[in-house]
Structures are given as structure tokens and as C-alpha cells.
Amino acid sequence: MNRRWIIAALALTPAAIVLPVHAVVYMSAEQARGALYPQAARFDEVSFEPSAAQQQALEQALGNAGKPRRVRGWTAYDAAGKLLGTVYIDDVIGKYELITYAVAFGAGGEVQAVEILAYRESHGQEIRLPAWRKQFVGRKSLDELRFGDQIKSISGATLSCRHVTEGVQRLAVLRGLTPAR
């Protein structure tokens, strides 16, 4: 009888092996907005679901824009009430898991910074490196945000690079479609 229990325990041992979790949260959304706009005196929350017209414009600009999903973030203002820019928080799929990132757009619509807030993949964390994220700075139009041309990939993180770039493109189009705040 004991022999059966030993055989059953040995048979179930592979199921008990737990793979390590690689999820790392680097900063919260509120920490990101403060880091991206440290000179801001005030942040006003921005949250909207793309309208049918905005979704159609996204699809025309990007091809398949996917299903509509809520955009969330903040507009940043200095002490005099002057608009500094907007921070949007978004999630994209890496290879298998979600990547949470933030994009800061200046008042003129140019990308001021991209920050990785949470990375859940086992490989490809190199997209957090400042050199890779710096490629986005100053870019405004989709022609300036093309993956493989203007935005280079990192070996071993190609899908993460591609999907974050596509996410930044999506937010850039939506930012251009929303009235200035």
C-alpha cells in the first residue's frame, strides 16, 4: 500500500514544479507621471473610450487597430496653469504577457519619454534600457515611429519592442484625434 503512495507522489512531482515568475513592477502610474513631468504643479485625469470615428481613424492610420479600449492618463500643468503635456498609460502584449508602459507627449504632440512600468516576460527586459526608449523622444508622426526603420529592435526582445512601438503609435494617433486639453 505504501508503495502505491510513493509511485503516485513521484508521478505528481513534475506537476508540483513551479516555474519562476518574472513579473517586475518598476513604478506605479502615479510615480511615472511624476517622473515624466517633475515640474508639474497639477495633473488632471484623462480617461476616454475611443469613439467610433476615432476607432475608424485608428484603423485607417494603423491598419488593424484592434478592439476599442479605454485610454487613461493625465494632463500635466505647471504652476501658472500652462499645459506641459499628457501622460498616457497603456498595456500591450509582449510575447505572452502584458507590458505596462507610459508615454509622455509634449504640448505639441511630440513624444517626450517612454517609461516601462511593469514587465512580465521572462526575456526582453532590455526594452527598459534608456538607449532603446530614447529612440522615441522627439518623434511625432507615424512616419517617425516606424518599427524597424526609425525604432530599432533589440535581439531577444523583438516582439516586446514591436508591440510597445505599436502601442506608442496607437497613443500618438489617439492623442492627435483628441482636443487639446
Side-chain angles (χ1 to χ4, degrees):
M1 196 77 152
N2 283 340
R3 191 176 184 153
R4 284 187 188 167
W5 284 106
I6 292 171
I7 292 172
L10 289 174
L12 292 175
T13 300
I17 296 174
V18 177
L19 295 175
V21 175
H22 296 281
V24 179
V25 176
Y26 299 103
M27 67 178 73
S28 69
E30 290 77 14
Q31 289 170 325
R33 76 178 189 194
L36 293 168
Y37 284 109
Q39 71 278 31
R42 182 180 102 224
F43 290 98
D44 290 348
E45 191 168 341
V46 176
S47 180
F48 66 92
E49 187 90 26
S51 68
Q54 288 171 325
Q55 189 64 25
Q56 185 177 16
L58 266 175
E59 289 177 16
Q60 287 176 346
L62 302 176
N64 181 9
K67 69 177 190 160
R69 63 181 194 261
R70 181 158 295 285
V71 175
R72 57 191 169 96
W74 299 269
T75 51
Y77 298 91
D78 67 11
K82 179 182 173 197
L83 175 66
L84 298 171
T86 308
V87 176
Y88 292 120
I89 307 295
D90 194 24
D91 296 301
V92 293
I93 198 80
K95 184 173 184 179
Y96 302 110
E97 304 294 337
L98 289 177
I99 300 168
T100 303
Y101 67 101
V103 182
F105 291 98
E110 73 285 355
V111 175
Q112 291 188 323
V114 173
E115 190 65 57
I116 305 299
L117 306 186
Y119 193 83
R120 298 167 182 91
E121 296 285 355
S122 61
H123 296 84
Q125 296 89 344
E126 297 85 355
I127 68 168
R128 286 200 65 242
L129 295 174
W132 186 77
R133 293 180 294 112
K134 192 175 183 178
Q135 296 180 86
F136 293 94
V137 176
R139 301 187 188 273
K140 189 173 181 178
S141 72
L142 290 180
D143 285 340
E144 297 173 327
L145 289 166
R146 281 189 304 221
F147 180 74
D149 293 332
Q150 287 74 25
I151 308 298
K152 303 297 182 198
S153 184
I154 298 171
S155 180
T158 304
L159 291 175
S160 295
C161 292
R162 175 183 301 279
H163 297 159
V164 169
T165 301
E166 290 169 352
V168 173
Q169 290 171 335
R170 175 182 171 272
L171 292 175
V173 170
L174 282 172
R175 193 236 168 254
L177 296 172
T178 57
R181 309 213 188 269

